[in-house]
Amino acid sequence: MCGIVGYIGSKKATPFLLEGLTCLEYRGYDSAGIATIEDNKIEVKKDKGRVKNLYDLDGIDSLVGTVGIAHTRWATHGKPSKDNSHPHLDNSGTFSVVHNGIIENHNELRNFLISKGYSFASQTDTEVIPNLIHYYFNNGENIGDNKFLSAVKQAVSDLKGSYAIVVMSPLFKDELIVARKDSPLVIGTSNGENFIASDIPALLSHSKNFYLLDDNEFAVVCKDKIKFYDINLTEHRKGIKNIEWDATETGKNGFEDYMLKEIFEQPNSIRETIGSRLKLGENCYFDDLEISEEFLHNINQIYIVACGTAMHAGLIGKTILENLCKIPTTVEIASEFRYRNPLIDEKTLCIYISQSGETADTIAALKLAKSKGATTIAISNVISSSITREADYSIYTHAGPEIAVASTKAYTSQVVLIAILAIHFAEILNSYEQEKLEALKADILDLPSKIENILADTSKIKNFADKVYTEKDMFFLGRGIDYAVALEGSLKLKEISYIHSEAYAAGELKHGPIALIENNVTVIGIITEPDLVDKTCSNLQEVITRGAKTLIVTNMQLENNCFDFVIDIPEINHLLSPILSVVPLQLLSYYISKNKGLDVDKPRNLAKSVTVE
Ligand code: G6P
């Protein structure tokens, strides 16, 4: 949540800052602002609303400064407004700060600063930071030989919570200071200019060489050098990372929206996820996953922990892992897991799934399991993201940058990756018939062409969307693995179309929710579990009797088909069917959202990367 950027070089900072903010807008988009140094003073332009509004702000074209910082906000403390927008200044206008994260003790710090004569112009937690820096600049001790850095260090030492900050001052106009704790921040470096951002894709068109700031680390960024410091301000050297992603991967490539592009990218993203890990006739192979055979044989339980769509991928993962490896597996929501003292010991394997690798609750849940002695694996799409730096082992989905807030290709790649991981474990454990594993591998290799098949004709789904987009409520039903897909389909619909929807295990409907079924309400059924098809059909019959209209996504030949609409998907092993059955549901929510004229890629109130609790 919240995107931050910074620039220091010889060119005008504003064009880069605006472009960087546009790339980061998926992180938050209720207000935006930039600040540059102009004639030895800080000039701030900010307002509520989208980044594009900044282009029209009075005086934005007159900013010529070559040092600047900028921010796009997802409000936590204080509603979206001009005053609450970043960058924030201290009372004297000497220090300007952009911040991503939450300062949990901001009230206490605010009272302290008020007692010292400071006043506040916003309701944000962030505004304490520039004022604290000012306070320590004038009243603190001098740690090391950089007075600016020393003041920033003393200020952040007082902060509880999470932060990634960039600080700028006209007194030190040749440097920007950055610091982070539990919020992401990267520095892209080039000849004679350096760039700062919350994520790598925002900088790809300017640099392929990055420094990934660690927790409790500081950097002093000048146009032609960068110095790194630990928490005691002892300088250290830091390795540079070369990132191979192509900047064009982050464009829309002719699609109207990122979400549609990402839905259509799924055949390729899955090919990338499979990579060289899975081949017919050979054991699956993971680089960098040197879990000992002894540990695998002794695992007492597996926890899969994640949030949102990633948690739904975990639900499929549980079924696959339990089937193939015969190890009890529990899926937990990270924000619950982290506070409930789960039963974990050194025989427990905890798998954390996070597209961004920056979700605060998932990272905290990982730290908890590590502290209790568990072995941890992170599944992420973002190389060197925070979660991968914390986990014992990291495996990557390699789905390419996902920009739309509603996750699509990252989800299918997460499921594919867990399936390959489960096969890998089953091969080591000898827990599943070899022949069946080979058949499953062949099915995984067929997934891309089967998705291509679904995407080749989307007209049926589009027609259905045209019929139902004005509705207020919808229901998603499924049993077994189809229930997990129902949850994901329902989440997609809520996220981008703002239609209230509920997902139920089909057999549970009659225990209450069936009271909500009335004439003409839409019920979407997913039917791919061969052993449960009749049962799910009976449950759907119950809603048809009560007047519901039904859309079915299935790979079965349904007898006595009494449904209003049926979307056929290709046959596949039922453990992998979610990777196919979710695609029509992704498209359905997309087309409904388009019909309603909504912003598909940036739905209201959401953010792609939730770096706060
Ligand atoms: C946010 C996004 C969801 C995403 C969830 C977990 O809520 O809006 O789309 O599934 O975070 O994100 P992660 O990056 O950890 O997978």
Side-chain angles (χ1 to χ4, degrees), residues 18 139 206 209 211 236 250 265 278 304 352 444 484 517 609:
L18 292 173
N139 305 290
H206 299 277
N209 296 313
Y211 294 103
H236 59 262
T250 55
E265 275 173 350
L278 180 144
I304 302 179
Y352 295 84
I444 291 178
I517 303 294
S609 181

Side-chain angles (χ1 to χ4, degrees), residues 1 306-311 353-360 362 379-380 387 402 404-408 410 414 488 491-492 495 603 606-610:
M1 355 231 44
C307 302
T309 291
M311 193 276 287
I353 310 176
S354 175
Q355 186 283 128
S356 62
E358 302 295 348
T359 302
T362 312
I379 293 183
S380 181
I387 200 166
E402 190 182 66
V405 165
S407 179
T408 53
Q414 285 159 352
E488 176 57 10
L491 179 64
K492 286 287 88 83
E495 281 180 312
L606 301 183
K608 185 147 191 75
S609 181
V610 183

Side-chain angles (χ1 to χ4, degrees), residues 88-107:
H88 288 286
L89 291 171
D90 73 296
N91 289 177
S92 71
T94 314
F95 299 101
S96 178
V97 170
V98 286
H99 164 225
N100 169 30
I102 284 186
I103 306 308
E104 289 164 3
N105 58 338
H106 70 101
N107 271 332

Side-chain angles (χ1 to χ4, degrees), residues 381-416:
N381 196 33
V382 180
I383 313 277
S384 295
S385 51
S386 300
I387 200 166
T388 66
R389 287 190 269 163
E390 290 288 340
D392 296 317
Y393 304 99
S394 296
I395 53 179
Y396 292 99
T397 40
H398 297 306
E402 190 182 66
I403 309 291
V405 165
S407 179
T408 53
K409 65 174 182 172
Y411 166 84
T412 44
S413 281
Q414 285 159 352
V415 179
V416 170

